Amino acid sequence: MMSLSVLSLPQRYKRLLQAMTLAVAVVYMTLLLYQSAYGYPNFQLQPQPLSSSSQLLDGNEPAAITTTQQLQQQQQHQQQQQQLQHSLPPTTQTASSFASSAASPITPSLIIRKDIHSFNFSDIEVSERPTATLLTELARRSRNGELLHDLSQRAVTATPQPPTTELDDIFISVKTTKNYHDTRLALIIKTWFQLARDQTWFFTDTDDHYYQEKTKGHLINTKCSQGHFRKALCCKMSAELDIFLESGKKWFCHFDDDNYVNVPRLVKLLDEYSPSVDWYLGKPSISSPLEIHLDNKNTTTNKKITFWFATGGAGFCLSRALTLKMLPIAGGGKFISIGDKIRFPDDVTMGFIIEHLLKVPLTVVDNFHSHLEPMEFIRSDTFQDQVSFSYAHMKNQWNVIKVDGFDLKTDPKRFYSLHCQLFPYFSFCPPR
């Protein structure tokens, strides 16, 4: 019995050792599994390498990785992430840090692990606060954005910039009469009218089917009297103003039938001003302001006033903002009544309304020219810079510009020669 007890003692120790070894193995494996699932106590879970993430996305099992390999790969991946973060734009870095701080440590890692290496950051468009340049472009593209543009420019630069003015924004009116259809009107239709056929309207005092067809329906019979006297002139100007107000255009530009209009230069000029601001553009034909008396019959109430006016013989332009202020005063035929009251023709009446009644000063533009000034003094190298030209037959000679081209017999008013110098591609122009 004793011998049996001695022999069985090592076996018992062996079994106990085996049991302890098995227990240690179980504890060790449990620790390995715990560490694989939850990581180390003071270490945040980092994304797996791309190969592992690709296997996860593909539905395959990842290869077995030892604890040391995991630490090395995690540290290496952390360094790659830091380099990537430094290479991103500041806005993107801010967005990434905000997302990381707002979520738990595990969730962002899982999202980044799936996408961070394959995401194309060049596709991200960072939205910025609108700048002055952006507001400028928005206003230039919007036909109704003038006021917004001006306000934004005042806020940013304290200097309002005008929106873009195109040819179609301009209403060009030409005052004529029946006796000048075959001479002055025909000359305009063949030259500069071809550059602004949809924007130019002729205001006359009779029906004329021939020129109605030539102008594609742009000949308007105002029913006003024929002749060059105050009543007839104010009547036609009143019709021009009323039809412009109905057109919705940004600019109203009046010219006479003895004017040549440099259409591209006119558009360029108006592009320097805003139609949402009160503008009265033209040039006077007198050297000092006009003085008139409002009531000559009653000397006790006789009031003398002074104001400038742009001569209609050179042409002038009004912004839509200004014409809207004129509407309750001069719209609907009231322009004629004002002309009757002050007993002056249409261009003087226009100046009286704008400068005296509305207190809007005339802005002098030297590029407008009438037959009241010597045309020969306009240098040929400045023709492209001028807005309007004119002509007149005075004292048995022509007051016209000096320009090479057609002979005086063929082109006494020099409009054909001027037109061919500015626009030589027209069919009637001689080859150069």
mmCIF file of all heavy atoms in Angstrom, residues 14-53:
data_model
loop_
_atom_site.group_PDB
_atom_site.id
_atom_site.type_symbol
_atom_site.label_atom_id
_atom_site.label_comp_id
_atom_site.label_asym_id
_atom_site.label_seq_id
_atom_site.Cartn_x
_atom_site.Cartn_y
_atom_site.Cartn_z
ATOM 1 N N LYS A 14 2.078 15.828 -11.642
ATOM 2 C CA LYS A 14 2.056 15.989 -13.099
ATOM 3 C C LYS A 14 0.695 16.443 -13.593
ATOM 4 O O LYS A 14 0.565 17.325 -14.434
ATOM 5 C CB LYS A 14 2.467 14.667 -13.737
ATOM 6 C CG LYS A 14 2.564 14.740 -15.255
ATOM 7 C CD LYS A 14 3.022 13.411 -15.821
ATOM 8 C CE LYS A 14 3.125 13.503 -17.346
ATOM 9 N NZ LYS A 14 3.583 12.219 -17.937
ATOM 10 N N ARG A 15 -0.342 15.792 -13.034
ATOM 11 C CA ARG A 15 -1.708 16.197 -13.430
ATOM 12 C C ARG A 15 -2.015 17.632 -12.990
ATOM 13 O O ARG A 15 -2.663 18.394 -13.709
ATOM 14 C CB ARG A 15 -2.714 15.217 -12.818
ATOM 15 C CG ARG A 15 -2.649 13.841 -13.448
ATOM 16 C CD ARG A 15 -3.628 12.916 -12.749
ATOM 17 N NE ARG A 15 -3.558 11.571 -13.342
ATOM 18 C CZ ARG A 15 -4.256 10.527 -12.907
ATOM 19 N NH1 ARG A 15 -5.066 10.699 -11.843
ATOM 20 N NH2 ARG A 15 -4.144 9.351 -13.479
ATOM 21 N N LEU A 16 -1.511 17.959 -11.749
ATOM 22 C CA LEU A 16 -1.741 19.334 -11.270
ATOM 23 C C LEU A 16 -1.012 20.350 -12.154
ATOM 24 O O LEU A 16 -1.550 21.417 -12.484
ATOM 25 C CB LEU A 16 -1.268 19.454 -9.834
ATOM 26 C CG LEU A 16 -1.438 20.841 -9.175
ATOM 27 C CD1 LEU A 16 -2.924 21.209 -9.141
ATOM 28 C CD2 LEU A 16 -0.853 20.827 -7.755
ATOM 29 N N LEU A 17 0.219 19.985 -12.528
ATOM 30 C CA LEU A 17 0.984 20.882 -13.402
ATOM 31 C C LEU A 17 0.312 21.046 -14.756
ATOM 32 O O LEU A 17 0.244 22.143 -15.328
ATOM 33 C CB LEU A 17 2.417 20.342 -13.564
ATOM 34 C CG LEU A 17 3.371 21.195 -14.403
ATOM 35 C CD1 LEU A 17 3.560 22.573 -13.748
ATOM 36 C CD2 LEU A 17 4.733 20.490 -14.554
ATOM 37 N N GLN A 18 -0.217 19.950 -15.259
ATOM 38 C CA GLN A 18 -0.929 20.021 -16.539
ATOM 39 C C GLN A 18 -2.172 20.901 -16.425
ATOM 40 O O GLN A 18 -2.487 21.682 -17.329
ATOM 41 C CB GLN A 18 -1.323 18.605 -16.982
ATOM 42 C CG GLN A 18 -0.145 17.745 -17.410
ATOM 43 C CD GLN A 18 -0.565 16.325 -17.750
ATOM 44 O OE1 GLN A 18 -1.704 15.897 -17.454
ATOM 45 N NE2 GLN A 18 0.365 15.548 -18.345
ATOM 46 N N ALA A 19 -2.863 20.748 -15.285
ATOM 47 C CA ALA A 19 -4.068 21.566 -15.083
ATOM 48 C C ALA A 19 -3.716 23.048 -14.983
ATOM 49 O O ALA A 19 -4.398 23.924 -15.550
ATOM 50 C CB ALA A 19 -4.801 21.096 -13.828
ATOM 51 N N MET A 20 -2.580 23.336 -14.248
ATOM 52 C CA MET A 20 -2.170 24.733 -14.112
ATOM 53 C C MET A 20 -1.712 25.293 -15.462
ATOM 54 O O MET A 20 -2.001 26.438 -15.814
ATOM 55 C CB MET A 20 -1.030 24.850 -13.082
ATOM 56 C CG MET A 20 -1.462 24.533 -11.652
ATOM 57 S SD MET A 20 -0.068 24.570 -10.495
ATOM 58 C CE MET A 20 0.409 26.264 -10.641
ATOM 59 N N THR A 21 -1.001 24.459 -16.219
ATOM 60 C CA THR A 21 -0.564 24.901 -17.545
ATOM 61 C C THR A 21 -1.749 25.195 -18.440
ATOM 62 O O THR A 21 -1.785 26.187 -19.189
ATOM 63 C CB THR A 21 0.327 23.816 -18.183
ATOM 64 O OG1 THR A 21 1.442 23.537 -17.313
ATOM 65 C CG2 THR A 21 0.824 24.265 -19.549
ATOM 66 N N LEU A 22 -2.743 24.302 -18.368
ATOM 67 C CA LEU A 22 -3.946 24.522 -19.177
ATOM 68 C C LEU A 22 -4.666 25.795 -18.766
ATOM 69 O O LEU A 22 -5.147 26.575 -19.605
ATOM 70 C CB LEU A 22 -4.867 23.310 -19.034
ATOM 71 C CG LEU A 22 -6.184 23.374 -19.814
ATOM 72 C CD1 LEU A 22 -5.890 23.467 -21.320
ATOM 73 C CD2 LEU A 22 -7.044 22.137 -19.522
ATOM 74 N N ALA A 23 -4.700 26.038 -17.436
ATOM 75 C CA ALA A 23 -5.367 27.256 -16.948
ATOM 76 C C ALA A 23 -4.624 28.511 -17.418
ATOM 77 O O ALA A 23 -5.235 29.504 -17.834
ATOM 78 C CB ALA A 23 -5.444 27.219 -15.420
ATOM 79 N N VAL A 24 -3.257 28.453 -17.327
ATOM 80 C CA VAL A 24 -2.474 29.598 -17.794
ATOM 81 C C VAL A 24 -2.670 29.829 -19.288
ATOM 82 O O VAL A 24 -2.784 30.965 -19.769
ATOM 83 C CB VAL A 24 -0.980 29.367 -17.474
ATOM 84 C CG1 VAL A 24 -0.123 30.429 -18.142
ATOM 85 C CG2 VAL A 24 -0.747 29.372 -15.971
ATOM 86 N N ALA A 25 -2.723 28.724 -20.026
ATOM 87 C CA ALA A 25 -2.951 28.841 -21.477
ATOM 88 C C ALA A 25 -4.304 29.466 -21.780
ATOM 89 O O ALA A 25 -4.455 30.317 -22.687
ATOM 90 C CB ALA A 25 -2.819 27.466 -22.133
ATOM 91 N N VAL A 26 -5.306 29.043 -20.987
ATOM 92 C CA VAL A 26 -6.650 29.606 -21.202
ATOM 93 C C VAL A 26 -6.654 31.091 -20.886
ATOM 94 O O VAL A 26 -7.227 31.924 -21.617
ATOM 95 C CB VAL A 26 -7.679 28.854 -20.338
ATOM 96 C CG1 VAL A 26 -9.024 29.577 -20.353
ATOM 97 C CG2 VAL A 26 -7.839 27.415 -20.825
ATOM 98 N N VAL A 27 -5.993 31.460 -19.746
ATOM 99 C CA VAL A 27 -5.933 32.883 -19.382
ATOM 100 C C VAL A 27 -5.175 33.674 -20.438
ATOM 101 O O VAL A 27 -5.573 34.780 -20.836
ATOM 102 C CB VAL A 27 -5.281 33.034 -17.992
ATOM 103 C CG1 VAL A 27 -5.023 34.514 -17.690
ATOM 104 C CG2 VAL A 27 -6.158 32.421 -16.918
ATOM 105 N N TYR A 28 -4.074 33.101 -20.923
ATOM 106 C CA TYR A 28 -3.267 33.803 -21.918
ATOM 107 C C TYR A 28 -4.052 34.017 -23.216
ATOM 108 O O TYR A 28 -4.035 35.093 -23.813
ATOM 109 C CB TYR A 28 -1.995 32.994 -22.187
ATOM 110 C CG TYR A 28 -1.082 33.619 -23.214
ATOM 111 C CD1 TYR A 28 -0.321 34.739 -22.886
ATOM 112 C CD2 TYR A 28 -0.993 33.083 -24.499
ATOM 113 C CE1 TYR A 28 0.519 35.303 -23.825
ATOM 114 C CE2 TYR A 28 -0.168 33.658 -25.434
ATOM 115 C CZ TYR A 28 0.597 34.770 -25.102
ATOM 116 O OH TYR A 28 1.419 35.334 -26.028
ATOM 117 N N MET A 29 -4.745 32.955 -23.635
ATOM 118 C CA MET A 29 -5.552 33.079 -24.852
ATOM 119 C C MET A 29 -6.693 34.071 -24.658
ATOM 120 O O MET A 29 -7.051 34.820 -25.579
ATOM 121 C CB MET A 29 -6.105 31.697 -25.236
ATOM 122 C CG MET A 29 -5.034 30.701 -25.675
ATOM 123 S SD MET A 29 -4.116 31.276 -27.133
ATOM 124 C CE MET A 29 -5.443 31.320 -28.326
ATOM 125 N N THR A 30 -7.243 34.076 -23.437
ATOM 126 C CA THR A 30 -8.318 35.040 -23.150
ATOM 127 C C THR A 30 -7.788 36.473 -23.255
ATOM 128 O O THR A 30 -8.445 37.366 -23.810
ATOM 129 C CB THR A 30 -8.890 34.789 -21.763
ATOM 130 O OG1 THR A 30 -9.371 33.436 -21.684
ATOM 131 C CG2 THR A 30 -10.029 35.760 -21.463
ATOM 132 N N LEU A 31 -6.564 36.683 -22.690
ATOM 133 C CA LEU A 31 -5.960 38.016 -22.781
ATOM 134 C C LEU A 31 -5.681 38.414 -24.230
ATOM 135 O O LEU A 31 -5.876 39.565 -24.631
ATOM 136 C CB LEU A 31 -4.659 38.046 -21.958
ATOM 137 C CG LEU A 31 -4.824 37.974 -20.435
ATOM 138 C CD1 LEU A 31 -3.450 37.869 -19.757
ATOM 139 C CD2 LEU A 31 -5.548 39.217 -19.936
ATOM 140 N N LEU A 32 -5.194 37.454 -25.024
ATOM 141 C CA LEU A 32 -4.943 37.746 -26.435
ATOM 142 C C LEU A 32 -6.214 38.148 -27.164
ATOM 143 O O LEU A 32 -6.253 39.108 -27.945
ATOM 144 C CB LEU A 32 -4.300 36.533 -27.119
ATOM 145 C CG LEU A 32 -2.842 36.235 -26.781
ATOM 146 C CD1 LEU A 32 -2.363 34.984 -27.511
ATOM 147 C CD2 LEU A 32 -1.957 37.426 -27.143
ATOM 148 N N LEU A 33 -7.271 37.361 -26.885
ATOM 149 C CA LEU A 33 -8.553 37.693 -27.529
ATOM 150 C C LEU A 33 -9.067 39.043 -27.070
ATOM 151 O O LEU A 33 -9.619 39.823 -27.858
ATOM 152 C CB LEU A 33 -9.571 36.582 -27.222
ATOM 153 C CG LEU A 33 -9.287 35.228 -27.874
ATOM 154 C CD1 LEU A 33 -10.297 34.183 -27.387
ATOM 155 C CD2 LEU A 33 -9.339 35.333 -29.399
ATOM 156 N N TYR A 34 -8.927 39.355 -25.794
ATOM 157 C CA TYR A 34 -9.383 40.650 -25.264
ATOM 158 C C TYR A 34 -8.610 41.806 -25.883
ATOM 159 O O TYR A 34 -9.166 42.828 -26.261
ATOM 160 C CB TYR A 34 -9.224 40.642 -23.751
ATOM 161 C CG TYR A 34 -9.709 41.925 -23.089
ATOM 162 C CD1 TYR A 34 -11.051 42.077 -22.744
ATOM 163 C CD2 TYR A 34 -8.821 42.964 -22.817
ATOM 164 C CE1 TYR A 34 -11.490 43.240 -22.150
ATOM 165 C CE2 TYR A 34 -9.254 44.124 -22.221
ATOM 166 C CZ TYR A 34 -10.598 44.263 -21.887
ATOM 167 O OH TYR A 34 -11.032 45.413 -21.309
ATOM 168 N N GLN A 35 -7.278 41.618 -25.979
ATOM 169 C CA GLN A 35 -6.454 42.672 -26.553
ATOM 170 C C GLN A 35 -6.753 42.864 -28.034
ATOM 171 O O GLN A 35 -6.736 43.976 -28.558
ATOM 172 C CB GLN A 35 -4.972 42.335 -26.349
ATOM 173 C CG GLN A 35 -4.540 42.415 -24.895
ATOM 174 C CD GLN A 35 -3.136 41.848 -24.670
ATOM 175 O OE1 GLN A 35 -2.559 41.277 -25.593
ATOM 176 N NE2 GLN A 35 -2.635 41.992 -23.464
ATOM 177 N N SER A 36 -7.037 41.745 -28.730
ATOM 178 C CA SER A 36 -7.371 41.855 -30.153
ATOM 179 C C SER A 36 -8.670 42.609 -30.357
ATOM 180 O O SER A 36 -8.850 43.324 -31.341
ATOM 181 C CB SER A 36 -7.468 40.446 -30.761
ATOM 182 O OG SER A 36 -6.235 39.770 -30.662
ATOM 183 N N ALA A 37 -9.589 42.408 -29.392
ATOM 184 C CA ALA A 37 -10.894 43.051 -29.542
ATOM 185 C C ALA A 37 -10.891 44.493 -29.080
ATOM 186 O O ALA A 37 -11.500 45.371 -29.690
ATOM 187 C CB ALA A 37 -11.957 42.250 -28.783
ATOM 188 N N TYR A 38 -10.207 44.791 -27.938
ATOM 189 C CA TYR A 38 -10.323 46.107 -27.320
ATOM 190 C C TYR A 38 -9.024 46.893 -27.302
ATOM 191 O O TYR A 38 -9.003 48.045 -26.900
ATOM 192 C CB TYR A 38 -10.840 45.974 -25.883
ATOM 193 C CG TYR A 38 -12.217 45.378 -25.813
ATOM 194 C CD1 TYR A 38 -12.369 44.040 -25.481
ATOM 195 C CD2 TYR A 38 -13.344 46.133 -26.097
ATOM 196 C CE1 TYR A 38 -13.641 43.475 -25.414
ATOM 197 C CE2 TYR A 38 -14.612 45.578 -26.043
ATOM 198 C CZ TYR A 38 -14.755 44.250 -25.700
ATOM 199 O OH TYR A 38 -15.996 43.717 -25.648
ATOM 200 N N GLY A 39 -7.911 46.291 -27.741
ATOM 201 C CA GLY A 39 -6.659 47.017 -27.769
ATOM 202 C C GLY A 39 -6.011 47.090 -26.400
ATOM 203 O O GLY A 39 -6.490 46.508 -25.422
ATOM 204 N N TYR A 40 -4.928 47.900 -26.380
ATOM 205 C CA TYR A 40 -4.191 48.075 -25.147
ATOM 206 C C TYR A 40 -4.804 49.195 -24.327
ATOM 207 O O TYR A 40 -5.469 50.080 -24.867
ATOM 208 C CB TYR A 40 -2.728 48.365 -25.469
ATOM 209 C CG TYR A 40 -2.042 47.153 -26.088
ATOM 210 C CD1 TYR A 40 -2.049 47.003 -27.475
ATOM 211 C CD2 TYR A 40 -1.450 46.182 -25.307
ATOM 212 C CE1 TYR A 40 -1.451 45.895 -28.062
ATOM 213 C CE2 TYR A 40 -0.841 45.076 -25.892
ATOM 214 C CZ TYR A 40 -0.850 44.929 -27.271
ATOM 215 O OH TYR A 40 -0.269 43.845 -27.837
ATOM 216 N N PRO A 41 -4.573 49.213 -23.015
ATOM 217 C CA PRO A 41 -5.265 50.195 -22.135
ATOM 218 C C PRO A 41 -5.044 51.632 -22.535
ATOM 219 O O PRO A 41 -5.962 52.429 -22.520
ATOM 220 C CB PRO A 41 -4.669 49.888 -20.759
ATOM 221 C CG PRO A 41 -4.205 48.471 -20.833
ATOM 222 C CD PRO A 41 -3.763 48.249 -22.240
ATOM 223 N N ASN A 42 -3.856 52.062 -22.934
ATOM 224 C CA ASN A 42 -3.545 53.456 -23.232
ATOM 225 C C ASN A 42 -3.275 53.695 -24.714
ATOM 226 O O ASN A 42 -2.519 54.563 -25.094
ATOM 227 C CB ASN A 42 -2.329 53.905 -22.407
ATOM 228 C CG ASN A 42 -2.609 53.885 -20.926
ATOM 229 O OD1 ASN A 42 -3.723 54.200 -20.508
ATOM 230 N ND2 ASN A 42 -1.599 53.517 -20.143
ATOM 231 N N PHE A 43 -3.896 52.925 -25.563
ATOM 232 C CA PHE A 43 -3.631 53.045 -27.010
ATOM 233 C C PHE A 43 -4.954 53.022 -27.763
ATOM 234 O O PHE A 43 -5.771 52.113 -27.556
ATOM 235 C CB PHE A 43 -2.734 51.885 -27.468
ATOM 236 C CG PHE A 43 -2.204 52.069 -28.857
ATOM 237 C CD1 PHE A 43 -1.099 52.863 -29.079
ATOM 238 C CD2 PHE A 43 -2.814 51.447 -29.940
ATOM 239 C CE1 PHE A 43 -0.593 53.039 -30.352
ATOM 240 C CE2 PHE A 43 -2.320 51.614 -31.214
ATOM 241 C CZ PHE A 43 -1.207 52.411 -31.420
ATOM 242 N N GLN A 44 -5.177 54.049 -28.606
ATOM 243 C CA GLN A 44 -6.415 54.132 -29.392
ATOM 244 C C GLN A 44 -6.328 53.226 -30.596
ATOM 245 O O GLN A 44 -5.275 53.077 -31.205
ATOM 246 C CB GLN A 44 -6.673 55.572 -29.851
ATOM 247 C CG GLN A 44 -7.010 56.499 -28.724
ATOM 248 C CD GLN A 44 -7.372 57.863 -29.246
ATOM 249 O OE1 GLN A 44 -7.304 58.098 -30.437
ATOM 250 N NE2 GLN A 44 -7.754 58.750 -28.341
ATOM 251 N N LEU A 45 -7.469 52.690 -30.956
ATOM 252 C CA LEU A 45 -7.535 51.819 -32.119
ATOM 253 C C LEU A 45 -7.262 52.608 -33.382
ATOM 254 O O LEU A 45 -7.857 53.653 -33.608
ATOM 255 C CB LEU A 45 -8.913 51.156 -32.189
ATOM 256 C CG LEU A 45 -9.121 50.175 -33.352
ATOM 257 C CD1 LEU A 45 -8.171 48.982 -33.208
ATOM 258 C CD2 LEU A 45 -10.565 49.699 -33.391
ATOM 259 N N GLN A 46 -6.364 52.137 -34.231
ATOM 260 C CA GLN A 46 -6.002 52.797 -35.480
ATOM 261 C C GLN A 46 -6.466 51.959 -36.653
ATOM 262 O O GLN A 46 -6.685 50.749 -36.516
ATOM 263 C CB GLN A 46 -4.481 53.004 -35.562
ATOM 264 C CG GLN A 46 -3.944 53.893 -34.488
ATOM 265 C CD GLN A 46 -4.431 55.310 -34.626
ATOM 266 O OE1 GLN A 46 -4.773 55.745 -35.719
ATOM 267 N NE2 GLN A 46 -4.491 56.036 -33.523
ATOM 268 N N PRO A 47 -6.595 52.585 -37.827
ATOM 269 C CA PRO A 47 -7.053 51.842 -39.000
ATOM 270 C C PRO A 47 -6.066 50.763 -39.383
ATOM 271 O O PRO A 47 -4.860 50.895 -39.209
ATOM 272 C CB PRO A 47 -7.145 52.915 -40.084
ATOM 273 C CG PRO A 47 -7.241 54.195 -39.343
ATOM 274 C CD PRO A 47 -6.460 53.997 -38.090
ATOM 275 N N GLN A 48 -6.599 49.705 -39.973
ATOM 276 C CA GLN A 48 -5.782 48.626 -40.497
ATOM 277 C C GLN A 48 -5.177 49.045 -41.828
ATOM 278 O O GLN A 48 -5.649 49.967 -42.468
ATOM 279 C CB GLN A 48 -6.652 47.369 -40.695
ATOM 280 C CG GLN A 48 -7.205 46.811 -39.398
ATOM 281 C CD GLN A 48 -6.134 46.229 -38.517
ATOM 282 O OE1 GLN A 48 -5.075 45.835 -38.999
ATOM 283 N NE2 GLN A 48 -6.375 46.192 -37.213
ATOM 284 N N PRO A 49 -4.115 48.367 -42.270
ATOM 285 C CA PRO A 49 -3.541 48.665 -43.576
ATOM 286 C C PRO A 49 -4.548 48.435 -44.680
ATOM 287 O O PRO A 49 -5.562 47.777 -44.499
ATOM 288 C CB PRO A 49 -2.348 47.703 -43.681
ATOM 289 C CG PRO A 49 -2.028 47.336 -42.267
ATOM 290 C CD PRO A 49 -3.323 47.385 -41.526
ATOM 291 N N LEU A 50 -4.235 49.000 -45.853
ATOM 292 C CA LEU A 50 -5.153 48.939 -46.976
ATOM 293 C C LEU A 50 -5.456 47.519 -47.384
ATOM 294 O O LEU A 50 -6.578 47.186 -47.748
ATOM 295 C CB LEU A 50 -4.565 49.696 -48.170
ATOM 296 C CG LEU A 50 -5.430 49.711 -49.435
ATOM 297 C CD1 LEU A 50 -6.770 50.352 -49.131
ATOM 298 C CD2 LEU A 50 -4.718 50.432 -50.564
ATOM 299 N N SER A 51 -4.459 46.625 -47.283
ATOM 300 C CA SER A 51 -4.689 45.240 -47.688
ATOM 301 C C SER A 51 -5.748 44.590 -46.826
ATOM 302 O O SER A 51 -6.637 43.902 -47.310
ATOM 303 C CB SER A 51 -3.384 44.453 -47.627
ATOM 304 O OG SER A 51 -2.858 44.486 -46.299
ATOM 305 N N SER A 52 -5.685 44.846 -45.500
ATOM 306 C CA SER A 52 -6.674 44.262 -44.605
ATOM 307 C C SER A 52 -8.042 44.858 -44.845
ATOM 308 O O SER A 52 -9.046 44.166 -44.846
ATOM 309 C CB SER A 52 -6.256 44.478 -43.140
ATOM 310 O OG SER A 52 -5.029 43.850 -42.883
ATOM 311 N N SER A 53 -8.094 46.211 -45.015
ATOM 312 C CA SER A 53 -9.381 46.852 -45.236
ATOM 313 C C SER A 53 -9.984 46.392 -46.536
ATOM 314 O O SER A 53 -11.198 46.235 -46.643
ATOM 315 C CB SER A 53 -9.213 48.368 -45.221
ATOM 316 O OG SER A 53 -8.383 48.773 -46.278
#
